[in-house]
Amino acid sequence: MLKQYRVRDYDFRLVLLVALLTIAGIFAVGSAEKSLQRIQMAGFIFGFFLMVVISLFDYSVLLKFNWLFYLGNLLLLSLVETPLGKTTNGAQRWITLFGIQFQPSETAKILLILFYAQFIMKHKEKLNSVKIIGLCFLFILPPLILIYRQPNLSTTIVLAVIFCVIMFVGGISWKLVAGVLAVLVPSVVIIFSIVIRPEQTLIRGYQQTRILAWLYPEEYATAEAYQQLNSIMAIGSGQLHGKGYNTNVISSVKNGNFISEPQTDFIFAVIGEEFGFIGTCTVIVLIILITLECFLVARKAKDLAGTIIAAGMAGLIGFQGFLNIGVTTGMLPNTGVTLPFVSYGLTSLVSLYIGIGFVLNVGLQCRKYKTEERVWA
């Protein structure tokens, strides 16, 4: 299982990018909540170690356990609704096993990418048949439902987008894509017009209020729109260079506690206030570069499974990053999703590093495969 690779074939560029983004996150988390900085650093070290180890194992062998990944994922998500689950701020999203607390919805993103990578590659010749497409949709429904019931609409949306990326990269017919979009776009408009009505029953009350607060922030300035408005204020107040790392300025939005738990969903506001336009642009550029690097690995993968793994991770990091930054800047309704590699959260951080470990192995396998081809030629 463990392969021998050449050091020069290792994608150190991707490793450097994710490490730099994580280090920026460690500094930001330390400024937002000093007591959590060491925990985030420990998560970085542990995640980095797992990334290196996984990157050296042949992903083709590991994917043979894809059904174990899928069933284990469902089991973990189901345990959230048992006495092992923990409720925080009205949401039951965590479980505690063997004294370790983690969030199964974060690991679900990686496990489902791995599951579909093997499943689609195995049935790639029949992917556009009604049976295989139906099975693909059938398999994604249980985790989506379990995550939505936590409730966790934001992760449900992220997971749905990852599924779309996987299906597209897997080779689903353009005609089917066009047909789905023709139905989906007007459906989204209709659903959006319904959920903002007082009598709607499609989404929960707090979710509707978040949408209304985004549409009419002045009417919710002291309630649901409070954090977003303060986030925008914090980012703007940083101007070009920011107020300085761990600023003690009393007028600081962070120091004034105008944003609750800024180390998680609104960490981008802390970066904007303390490091200014330069700091926020640096974070955005790093996320874009990581996403593009994953797509480049996907293009060069030796097989469809490798392409799906790398493209799935690109979709996860790119879309979730866009979602988080969109929320903190007021472009999108408050969703409660974290900023990849930056926000505090060990489950999210370690899961992402595991995913990057698989991407690195996809890149190594690609180079090894090409080298063997040249030798045999």
Side-chain angles (χ1 to χ4, degrees):
M1 183 182 291
L2 190 60
K3 299 285 186 178
Q4 297 296 323
Y5 305 105
R6 296 181 302 181
V7 175
R8 65 180 182 181
D9 289 338
Y10 209 79
D11 194 345
F12 289 105
R13 183 168 52 197
L14 180 57
V15 174
L16 178 62
L17 290 172
V18 296
L20 288 175
L21 187 58
T22 308
I23 292 170
I26 290 172
F27 277 104
V29 168
S31 179
E33 185 57 59
K34 187 66 177 178
S35 62
L36 300 177
Q37 190 172 44
R38 287 190 177 182
I39 301 176
Q40 191 76 349
M41 288 177 65
F44 170 44
I45 295 170
F46 182 57
F48 196 91
F49 169 76
L50 288 179
M51 176 191 72
V52 173
V53 171
I54 291 172
S55 70
L56 300 177
F57 281 81
D58 188 345
Y59 71 89
S60 301
V61 176
L62 296 176
L63 289 184
K64 292 179 180 179
F65 301 96
N66 68 315
W67 280 106
L68 185 61
F69 295 153
Y70 182 78
L71 295 175
N73 178 44
L74 290 185
L75 176 62
L76 291 175
L77 290 173
S78 300
L79 288 176
V80 173
E81 300 183 7
T82 70
L84 292 173
K86 180 182 178 182
T87 302
T88 304
N89 296 327
Q92 191 164 336
R93 302 174 183 175
W94 294 263
I95 60 173
T96 303
L97 288 176
F98 310 109
I100 301 174
Q101 180 178 305
F102 64 97
Q103 194 172 352
S105 59
E106 293 296 332
T107 58
K109 300 169 186 174
I110 309 301
L111 292 174
L112 284 171
I113 290 173
L114 299 178
F115 167 74
Y116 276 108
Q118 179 69 7
F119 182 82
I120 292 177
M121 188 178 74
K122 185 177 179 180
H123 300 92
K124 59 183 178 181
E125 301 300 331
K126 300 179 181 179
L127 179 61
N128 288 294
S129 66
V130 175
K131 178 183 176 181
I132 301 302
I133 291 176
L135 285 174
C136 287
F137 277 95
L138 183 64
F139 293 142
I140 196 65
L141 284 179
L144 286 179
I145 293 171
L146 288 170
I147 293 173
Y148 179 77
R149 286 172 55 179
Q150 292 179 359
N152 195 344
L153 179 60
S154 57
T155 301
T156 306
I157 294 172
V158 171
L159 206 57
V161 171
I162 294 173
F163 174 72
C164 293
V165 171
I166 288 171
M167 293 298 290
F168 179 76
V169 173
I172 197 167
S173 171
W174 279 94
K175 293 181 180 178
L176 185 58
V177 173
V180 170
L181 289 175
V183 175
L184 186 62
V185 173
S187 297
V188 170
V189 175
I190 293 171
I191 292 172
F192 186 81
S193 64
I194 292 174
V195 298
I196 61 176
R197 296 178 181 176
E199 69 278 5
Q200 70 85 30
T201 57
L202 290 177
I203 60 175
R204 297 172 185 262
Y206 80 92
Q207 293 168 343
Q208 181 194 43
T209 305
R210 285 182 175 183
I211 295 174
L212 292 174
W214 172 62
L215 293 173
Y216 313 105
E218 64 282 350
E219 296 180 17
Y220 296 83
T222 58
E224 282 73 13
Y226 184 73
Q227 287 205 90
Q228 269 192 303
L229 291 175
N230 287 331
S231 172
I232 296 169
M233 185 188 306
I235 294 171
S237 68
Q239 298 184 28
L240 181 61
H241 300 286
K243 298 176 180 177
Y245 175 63
N246 204 13
T247 178
N248 57 4
V249 177
I250 299 177
S251 60
S252 165
V253 172
K254 179 203 69 177
N255 294 334
N257 294 321
F258 295 114
I259 299 176
S260 62
E261 299 187 16
Q263 72 274 10
T264 54
D265 304 346
F266 286 89
I267 193 71
F268 192 73
V270 176
I271 295 172
E273 184 173 53
E274 298 192 348
F275 299 99
F277 181 75
I278 294 175
T280 55
C281 283
T282 301
V283 169
I284 292 172
V285 168
L286 284 173
I287 291 175
I288 292 173
L289 290 177
I290 292 170
T291 302
L292 291 176
E293 188 66 23
C294 288
F295 274 127
L296 288 175
V297 173
R299 289 187 60 188
K300 301 174 183 177
K302 70 173 185 179
D303 56 24
L304 183 58
T307 299
I308 290 174
I309 290 173
M313 284 302 300
L316 166 59
I317 296 168
F319 179 72
Q320 189 166 314
F322 165 75
L323 205 58
N324 177 275
I325 294 172
V327 169
T328 56
T329 55
M331 294 171 57
L332 298 169
N334 193 350
T335 58
V337 71
T338 56
L339 187 59
F341 297 106
V342 181
S343 295
Y344 173 75
L346 297 189
T347 311
S348 173
L349 184 61
V350 173
S351 296
L352 286 169
Y353 268 103
I354 290 173
I356 292 296
F358 277 97
V359 174
L360 289 170
N361 186 256
V362 171
L364 283 173
Q365 289 291 329
C366 164
R367 291 174 175 84
K368 186 175 185 297
Y369 181 72
K370 288 183 177 179
T371 301
E372 290 175 351
E373 275 191 330
R374 287 196 295 269
V375 170
W376 284 105

